[in-house]
Amino acid sequence: GLNKLKKYASFGQTEQERLEAEMRFFRGYLYTDLVKRYKEVIIYDEDLDNIKKDMPVSSEAEGWNFVYEDLKFAGEHLPVDKTPNGRLTSGAAYAMLSRAMLYAERWDDARIAAEEVMGMGYKLEEKENYSNAFKAGSQEAILQYCYDKSSTVTHDFDGYMAPGGDKALDGNSMTGGFGTPTQEMVESYEDKNGNKVDWSEWHGTTTKEPPYDQLEPRFAATIIYRGCTWKGRVMDCSVGGTNGAFMAYREQSYSYGKTTTGYFLRKLLDEKLIDVKGTKSSQAWVEIRFAEVLLNKAEAAYRLNKTTEAQSLMNRVRGRQGVNLPGKSSSGEAWFNDYRNERKIELAYEGHLFWDMRR
């Protein structure tokens, strides 16, 4: 740990500071998860050899101060390097600090941390497909974990999440279909002109086709829906469907790869993987990317009454190539509602929505 590094290490100063920065990044990262859950936590500092049974619980403010000091130190002593899948970088530390300080409601600190990242030359992924933003090799990734089939460092995400109908194609020995987006989520997407879609006609019985083709590009990149193409097959997502079958909620003990909502998850899956039984998944996990940093700063700016700055940052995310949505000119509470929806859509299924709603 840190205590032993400082006591016994014989590295040069630069190397020792880098190692300390890496340790303090992970401590700050893990304490962010602790404090956002429990508010008051026990702060274990450097010396873990002398832990007392009756150690006091910190205040929430003390917990966030601890996180701030760790991530700030990491940002100041880690190398500035935009490679996201190697050792930790200064950009990763400041990006994580921008996230943590939103939970702490320390808006100035969140904004300043985001500015540090923006000054390092990161860019939004501007290839035609929005889904490239959370794949290995994306210029938008700030911190990602890369898997490697050749070293058998893999995962089972596709086995759990791919539509159950993939079994006939790829022999998936797992059930699939564990993640099924809801109709409420689908209705959160605007149309391609940035307007809210009226779904009331589809809340009853109708034979009219849902307006899926009218929705903005991030919808089709995130969700498998009836009529879309997945692995070369047109999806059914309906009762008795061959390529994606629907079942009523709790109709049976397990869904066995069927969908209870009419949708399957597309985002984060590997459409090129057609042998799920014989080959496990290897797509990267992007822990933090540049779009989130821009949205973090937008929220901090809004809280600091910097309306024009907040609008500009969110509109930068909306307007990039591959999304091409018009900007939002709303202000006040209306803008914040627009922002909440934008964050929900942009960062969908990347692990943010539950905690964003909590905070």
Side-chain angles (χ1 to χ4, degrees), residues 42-44 50-58:
I42 297 174
I43 293 176
Y44 295 102
N50 296 303
I51 296 176
K52 300 175 182 177
K53 291 183 179 180
D54 57 348
M55 290 185 70
V57 174
S58 73

Side-chain angles (χ1 to χ4, degrees), residues 248-296:
Y249 182 58
R250 290 186 172 175
E251 184 177 273
Q252 55 194 34
S253 299
Y254 298 95
S255 67
Y256 297 111
K258 295 180 179 180
T259 171
T260 57
T261 65
Y263 304 101
F264 293 98
L265 182 65
R266 185 175 206 136
K267 187 178 187 180
L268 308 174
L269 289 170
D270 183 1
E271 191 169 357
K272 295 179 180 178
L273 181 58
I274 56 172
D275 180 18
V276 176
K277 184 176 183 180
T279 307
K280 289 193 174 184
S281 305
S282 60
Q283 59 269 38
W285 169 255
V286 181
E287 174 58 31
I288 194 162
R289 58 190 179 89
F290 192 48
E292 183 200 336
V293 174
L294 294 177
L295 292 174
N296 291 348

Side-chain angles (χ1 to χ4, degrees), residues 9 36 83 105 131 166 169 191 198 211 235-236 296 316 331 333 348:
K36 80 182 185 186
T83 304
E105 298 185 4
S131 64
D166 284 13
L169 181 70
D191 68 17
D198 181 5
M235 297 300 289
D236 300 321
N296 291 348
R316 183 174 169 185
S331 61
E333 189 66 21

Side-chain angles (χ1 to χ4, degrees), residues 18-125:
R18 180 183 63 78
L19 289 168
E20 180 180 351
E22 290 180 349
M23 292 180 187
R24 292 183 68 172
F25 171 90
F26 282 114
R27 189 171 68 177
Y29 173 61
L30 293 170
Y31 264 91
T32 295
D33 273 357
L34 283 173
V35 180
K36 80 182 185 186
R37 283 171 166 82
Y38 304 112
K39 307 301 184 186
E40 299 173 344
V41 299
I42 297 174
I43 293 176
Y44 295 102
D45 207 339
E46 295 176 7
D47 189 358
L48 300 183
D49 292 331
N50 296 303
I51 296 176
K52 300 175 182 177
K53 291 183 179 180
D54 57 348
M55 290 185 70
V57 174
S58 73
S59 67
E60 183 179 0
E62 288 170 333
W64 287 126
N65 282 337
F66 190 60
V67 167
Y68 176 84
E69 293 299 333
D70 271 354
L71 293 177
K72 184 73 160 44
F73 182 91
E76 290 171 344
H77 293 90
L78 288 170
V80 177
D81 182 349
K82 295 202 298 295
T83 304
N85 56 337
R87 285 188 178 276
L88 291 169
T89 64
S90 177
Y94 280 117
M96 200 61 65
L97 183 57
S98 78
R99 178 192 294 179
M101 292 298 99
L102 291 188
Y103 287 93
E105 298 185 4
R106 290 167 54 164
W107 314 120
D108 272 316
D109 290 331
R111 182 171 176 267
I112 291 168
E115 284 179 347
E116 290 283 350
V117 181
M118 293 172 68
M120 294 177 186
Y122 290 97
K123 298 179 180 178
L124 289 170
E125 185 60 55

